[in-house]
Coordinates of all heavy atoms in Angstrom, one line a residue:
I88 N 15.6 15.9 9.8 CA 16.7 15.3 9.1 C 16.1 14.7 7.8 O 15.0 14.1 7.7 CB 17.3 14.1 9.8 CG1 17.8 14.5 11.2 CG2 18.5 13.5 9.0 CD1 18.9 15.4 11.3
A89 N 16.8 15.0 6.6 CA 16.5 14.3 5.4 C 17.8 13.8 4.8 O 18.9 14.3 5.0 CB 15.8 15.3 4.4
V90 N 17.7 12.8 3.9 CA 18.9 12.2 3.3 C 18.8 12.5 1.8 O 17.8 12.3 1.2 CB 19.0 10.7 3.6 CG1 20.0 10.0 2.7 CG2 19.4 10.5 5.0
H91 N 20.0 12.8 1.2 CA 20.1 13.1 -0.2 C 21.1 12.2 -0.8 O 22.3 12.3 -0.5 CB 20.6 14.6 -0.4 CG 20.7 15.1 -1.8 ND1 21.8 15.7 -2.3 CD2 19.9 15.0 -2.8 CE1 21.7 16.0 -3.5 NE2 20.5 15.6 -3.9
S92 N 20.7 11.2 -1.5 CA 21.6 10.1 -1.9 C 21.2 9.4 -3.2 O 20.0 9.4 -3.5 CB 21.6 9.0 -0.7 OG 22.5 7.9 -1.1
A93 N 22.2 8.8 -3.8 CA 22.0 8.1 -5.1 C 22.1 6.6 -4.8 O 22.1 5.8 -5.7 CB 23.0 8.5 -6.1
L94 N 22.2 6.1 -3.5 CA 22.3 4.7 -3.2 C 21.0 4.0 -3.4 O 19.9 4.7 -3.6 CB 22.7 4.6 -1.7 CG 24.1 5.1 -1.4 CD1 24.4 5.0 0.1 CD2 25.2 4.4 -2.2
D95 N 21.0 2.7 -3.5 CA 19.8 1.9 -3.8 C 18.7 2.0 -2.8 O 19.0 2.2 -1.6 CB 20.2 0.5 -4.1 CG 20.6 -0.3 -2.9 OD1 19.7 -0.8 -2.2 OD2 21.8 -0.4 -2.6
G96 N 17.5 1.8 -3.2 CA 16.4 2.0 -2.3 C 16.3 1.1 -1.1 O 15.9 1.5 0.0
E97 N 16.8 -0.2 -1.2 CA 16.8 -1.1 -0.1 C 17.7 -0.6 1.0 O 17.4 -0.7 2.2 CB 17.1 -2.5 -0.5 CG 16.0 -3.1 -1.4 CD 16.4 -4.5 -2.0 OE1 17.5 -4.9 -1.7 OE2 15.6 -5.0 -2.7
L98 N 18.9 -0.1 0.6 CA 19.9 0.4 1.6 C 19.3 1.7 2.3 O 19.4 1.9 3.5 CB 21.2 0.7 0.9 CG 22.3 1.4 1.8 CD1 22.6 0.5 3.0 CD2 23.5 1.6 1.0
L99 N 18.6 2.5 1.5 CA 18.0 3.7 2.0 C 16.9 3.4 3.0 O 16.7 4.0 4.0 CB 17.5 4.6 0.9 CG 18.6 5.3 0.0 CD1 17.9 6.0 -1.1 CD2 19.5 6.1 0.8
S100 N 16.1 2.3 2.7 CA 15.1 1.9 3.6 C 15.7 1.4 4.9 O 15.1 1.7 6.0 CB 14.2 0.7 3.0 OG 13.6 1.2 1.9
C101 N 16.8 0.7 4.9 CA 17.5 0.2 6.1 C 17.9 1.4 6.9 O 17.8 1.5 8.1 CB 18.6 -0.7 5.7 SG 19.6 -1.3 7.1
M102 N 18.5 2.4 6.2 CA 19.0 3.6 6.9 C 17.8 4.4 7.5 O 18.0 4.9 8.7 CB 19.7 4.5 5.8 CG 20.1 5.9 6.3 SD 18.8 7.1 6.3 CE 18.2 7.0 4.7
E103 N 16.7 4.4 6.9 CA 15.6 5.1 7.4 C 15.1 4.5 8.7 O 14.8 5.1 9.7 CB 14.4 5.2 6.4 CG 13.2 5.9 6.9 CD 12.1 6.1 5.8 OE1 12.5 5.9 4.6 OE2 11.0 6.4 6.2
L104 N 15.0 3.1 8.7 CA 14.6 2.4 9.9 C 15.6 2.7 11.1 O 15.2 2.9 12.2 CB 14.6 0.9 9.7 CG 13.4 0.4 8.8 CD1 13.6 -1.0 8.5 CD2 12.1 0.7 9.5
M105 N 16.9 2.8 10.7 CA 17.9 3.1 11.7 C 17.7 4.4 12.3 O 17.8 4.6 13.5 CB 19.3 3.0 11.1 CG 20.5 3.3 12.0 SD 21.9 3.9 11.2 CE 21.5 5.6 10.9
A106 N 17.4 5.4 11.4 CA 17.3 6.8 11.9 C 16.0 6.9 12.8 O 16.1 7.6 13.9 CB 17.1 7.7 10.7
R107 N 15.0 6.2 12.5 CA 13.8 6.3 13.3 C 14.0 5.6 14.7 O 13.5 6.0 15.7 CB 12.6 5.7 12.6 CG 12.2 6.5 11.4 CD 10.9 6.1 10.8 NE 10.7 6.6 9.5 CZ 10.3 7.9 9.2 NH1 10.1 8.7 10.2 NH2 10.1 8.3 8.0
E108 N 14.8 4.4 14.6 CA 15.1 3.7 15.9 C 15.9 4.6 16.8 O 15.9 4.5 18.0 CB 15.8 2.4 15.6 CG 14.9 1.3 15.0 CD 13.9 0.9 16.0 OE1 14.3 0.8 17.2 OE2 12.8 0.6 15.6
K109 N 16.7 5.5 16.2 CA 17.6 6.4 17.0 C 16.8 7.7 17.4 O 17.4 8.6 17.9 CB 18.9 6.7 16.3 CG 19.8 5.5 16.1 CD 21.1 5.9 15.5 CE 22.0 4.6 15.4 NZ 22.4 4.2 16.8
Q110 N 15.5 7.6 17.2 CA 14.6 8.7 17.6 C 14.9 10.1 16.9 O 14.6 11.1 17.5 CB 14.7 8.9 19.2 CG 14.5 7.7 20.0 CD 13.1 7.1 19.7 OE1 12.1 7.8 19.7 NE2 13.1 5.8 19.5
L111 N 15.4 10.0 15.7 CA 15.6 11.2 14.9 C 14.3 11.6 14.2 O 13.5 10.7 13.9 CB 16.7 11.0 13.9 CG 18.1 10.8 14.4 CD1 19.1 10.3 13.3 CD2 18.7 12.1 15.1
R112 N 14.2 12.9 14.0 CA 13.0 13.4 13.3 C 13.3 13.3 11.8 O 13.6 14.2 11.1 CB 12.7 14.8 13.7 CG 11.3 15.3 13.2 CD 11.1 16.7 13.5 NE 9.9 17.2 12.8 CZ 9.8 18.5 12.4 NH1 10.7 19.4 12.7 NH2 8.7 18.8 11.7
F113 N 13.1 12.1 11.3 CA 13.5 11.8 9.9 C 12.3 12.1 9.0 O 11.2 11.6 9.2 CB 13.9 10.3 9.8 CG 14.5 10.0 8.4 CD1 15.8 10.3 8.1 CD2 13.7 9.4 7.5 CE1 16.3 10.0 6.9 CE2 14.2 9.1 6.2 CZ 15.5 9.4 5.9
L114 N 12.6 12.9 7.9 CA 11.5 13.4 7.0 C 11.4 12.6 5.7 O 10.4 12.5 5.1 CB 11.7 14.8 6.7 CG 11.8 15.8 7.9 CD1 11.9 17.2 7.3 CD2 10.5 15.7 8.7
G115 N 12.5 11.9 5.3 CA 12.5 11.2 4.1 C 13.8 11.3 3.3 O 14.8 11.9 3.8
T116 N 13.8 10.7 2.1 CA 15.0 10.7 1.3 C 14.7 11.5 0.0 O 13.6 11.5 -0.5 CB 15.4 9.2 0.9 OG1 14.3 8.6 0.3 CG2 15.8 8.5 2.2
L117 N 15.8 12.0 -0.5 CA 15.8 12.8 -1.8 C 16.7 12.1 -2.8 O 17.9 11.8 -2.4 CB 16.2 14.2 -1.6 CG 15.3 15.1 -0.7 CD1 16.1 16.3 -0.2 CD2 14.1 15.6 -1.4
A118 N 16.3 11.8 -4.0 CA 17.2 11.3 -5.0 C 18.1 12.4 -5.5 O 17.7 13.6 -5.5 CB 16.4 10.7 -6.1
K119 N 19.2 12.0 -6.0 CA 20.2 13.0 -6.6 C 19.9 13.1 -8.1 O 19.8 12.1 -8.8 CB 21.6 12.6 -6.3 CG 22.1 12.8 -4.9 CD 23.6 12.6 -4.9 CE 24.1 12.9 -3.5 NZ 25.6 12.8 -3.4
P120 N 19.9 14.4 -8.6 CA 19.9 15.6 -7.9 C 18.5 16.0 -7.4 O 17.5 15.7 -8.1 CB 20.4 16.6 -8.9 CG 19.9 16.1 -10.2 CD 20.0 14.6 -10.1
A121 N 18.3 16.6 -6.3 CA 17.0 16.9 -5.7 C 16.4 18.1 -6.5 O 17.1 19.1 -6.8 CB 17.1 17.3 -4.2
T122 N 15.2 17.9 -6.9 CA 14.5 19.0 -7.6 C 13.8 20.0 -6.6 O 13.7 19.7 -5.4 CB 13.4 18.4 -8.5 OG1 12.3 17.8 -7.7 CG2 13.9 17.3 -9.4
S123 N 13.4 21.1 -7.1 CA 12.7 22.1 -6.3 C 11.4 21.5 -5.7 O 11.1 21.8 -4.6 CB 12.4 23.4 -7.1 OG 13.6 24.0 -7.5
V124 N 10.7 20.7 -6.5 CA 9.5 20.1 -6.0 C 9.7 19.2 -4.9 O 9.0 19.2 -3.8 CB 8.8 19.4 -7.2 CG1 7.6 18.6 -6.6 CG2 8.3 20.4 -8.2
E125 N 10.8 18.4 -5.0 CA 11.1 17.4 -3.9 C 11.6 18.2 -2.7 O 11.2 17.8 -1.5 CB 12.2 16.5 -4.4 CG 11.7 15.5 -5.4 CD 12.9 14.8 -6.1 OE1 14.0 15.3 -6.2 OE2 12.7 13.6 -6.5
L126 N 12.4 19.2 -2.8 CA 12.8 20.0 -1.7 C 11.6 20.7 -1.0 O 11.6 20.8 0.2 CB 13.9 21.1 -2.1 CG 15.2 20.5 -2.5 CD1 16.1 21.6 -3.2 CD2 15.9 20.0 -1.2
A127 N 10.7 21.2 -1.8 CA 9.5 21.8 -1.3 C 8.7 20.9 -0.4 O 8.2 21.2 0.6 CB 8.6 22.4 -2.4
A128 N 8.6 19.6 -0.9 CA 7.9 18.6 -0.1 C 8.6 18.3 1.3 O 7.9 18.2 2.3 CB 7.8 17.3 -0.9
I129 N 9.9 18.3 1.3 CA 10.7 18.1 2.5 C 10.5 19.3 3.4 O 10.3 19.2 4.6 CB 12.2 17.9 2.2 CG1 12.4 16.5 1.6 CG2 13.0 18.1 3.5 CD1 12.1 15.4 2.5
L130 N 10.5 20.5 2.9 CA 10.3 21.7 3.7 C 8.9 21.7 4.3 O 8.7 22.2 5.4 CB 10.5 23.0 2.8 CG 11.9 23.2 2.4 CD1 12.0 24.4 1.4 CD2 12.8 23.5 3.6
T131 N 7.9 21.2 3.5 CA 6.5 21.2 4.0 C 6.5 20.3 5.2 O 5.9 20.6 6.3 CB 5.6 20.6 2.9 OG1 5.6 21.5 1.8 CG2 4.2 20.5 3.4
R132 N 7.2 19.1 5.2 CA 7.2 18.2 6.3 C 7.9 18.8 7.5 O 7.6 18.6 8.6 CB 7.8 16.9 5.9 CG 7.1 16.1 4.9 CD 7.8 14.8 4.5 NE 7.5 14.5 3.1 CZ 8.2 13.7 2.4 NH1 9.3 13.1 2.8 NH2 7.8 13.4 1.1
A133 N 8.9 19.6 7.2 CA 9.7 20.2 8.3 C 8.9 21.2 9.1 O 9.1 21.4 10.3 CB 11.0 20.9 7.7
V134 N 8.0 21.9 8.4 CA 7.2 22.9 9.1 C 6.0 22.4 9.7 O 5.3 23.0 10.5 CB 6.8 24.1 8.2 CG1 8.1 24.8 7.7 CG2 5.9 23.7 7.1
A135 N 5.6 21.1 9.4 CA 4.4 20.5 10.0 C 4.6 20.3 11.5 O 5.7 19.9 11.9 CB 4.1 19.2 9.3
P136 N 3.6 20.6 12.3 CA 3.8 20.4 13.7 C 4.0 18.9 14.0 O 3.4 18.0 13.4 CB 2.5 20.9 14.3 CG 1.5 20.8 13.2 CD 2.3 21.0 11.9
P137 N 4.9 18.6 15.0 CA 5.1 17.2 15.4 C 3.8 16.6 16.0 O 3.0 17.4 16.5 CB 6.2 17.2 16.4 CG 6.2 18.6 16.9 CD 5.7 19.5 15.8

Side-chain angles (χ1 to χ4, degrees):
I88 308 290
V90 164
H91 182 230
S92 178
L94 296 175
D95 68 86
E97 291 174 1
L98 177 56
L99 292 176
S100 295
C101 179
M102 175 278 308
E103 180 173 344
L104 289 173
M105 181 206 78
R107 296 190 191 283
E108 286 295 322
K109 293 184 177 295
Q110 307 302 311
L111 292 171
R112 190 184 166 209
F113 187 79
L114 302 181
T116 58
L117 296 159
K119 285 191 176 184
T122 67
S123 294
V124 172
E125 291 167 331
L126 287 168
I129 288 293
L130 292 172
T131 300
R132 294 176 209 162
V134 299

